[in-house]
Amino acid sequence: MRKYLMLLGIVLVTGTLMVISAGCGGSGTTTDTTAPAGNTTGTQGEVQTGVSVTIENFAFIPPTITIKKGGTVTWTNKDSAVHTATEDGGDFDTGDIAQNQSATLTFDEAGTFSYICTYHPNMKGTVIVK
Ligand SMILES: [Cu+2]
């Protein structure tokens, strides 16, 4: 009878310890995986309302930008040649931007807009509105 009680006690203690360690391990793992994932999303999800694009050496820098809906994009031409930022389907057009001049457009619609320079169609850029 005593042996049986002792065995029962060991089983109970072992069982309790297993539950405790399982509980700690479980919550610890969850916290570890959630934190970095949340940080990554936060950094990537940061969308600016106003972004500047430099036109230099016949290129849009940076070529792809992301802004918030209702945000603005300002293109500044550093080249001596005249450039434009013109959406492929005609959704937006800055018109001519002369050297050291800027043009700012507001984007009220969400979407991905590819644009070129009408004088140099090999110049390509993308505005992503979120
Ligand atoms: Cu151009």
Side-chain angles (χ1 to χ4, degrees):
M1 192 61 182
R2 249 189 192 177
K3 256 188 186 173
Y4 175 76
L5 277 174
M6 266 179 69
L7 269 173
L8 187 70
I10 290 164
V11 168
L12 278 174
V13 169
T14 313
T16 309
L17 282 173
M18 277 174 74
V19 168
I20 289 166
S21 61
C24 287
S27 64
T29 310
T30 308
T31 309
D32 287 348
T33 43
T34 307
N39 288 342
T40 309
T41 309
T43 310
Q44 288 178 339
E46 241 177 65
V47 183
Q48 291 177 284
T49 49
V51 176
S52 295
V53 176
T54 301
I55 308 173
E56 202 165 17
N57 297 320
F58 293 81
F60 298 108
I61 305 162
T64 301
I65 49 149
T66 304
I67 56 162
K68 264 186 190 164
K69 199 170 143 183
T72 58
V73 180
T74 301
W75 285 269
T76 303
N77 184 9
K78 301 279 188 189
D79 283 340
S80 55
V82 171
H83 295 296
T84 73
T86 307
E87 205 269 336
D88 293 346
D91 275 351
F92 69 81
D93 186 6
T94 58
D96 289 358
I97 309 171
Q99 186 175 23
N100 294 322
Q101 298 291 302
S102 296
T104 302
L105 294 178
T106 305
F107 291 80
D108 292 321
E109 268 181 67
T112 300
F113 305 95
S114 301
Y115 66 93
I116 54 162
C117 167
T118 50
Y119 299 113
H120 317 100
N122 57 316
M123 293 171 62
K124 286 177 177 134
T126 305
V127 176
I128 300 166
V129 185
K130 289 191 171 176

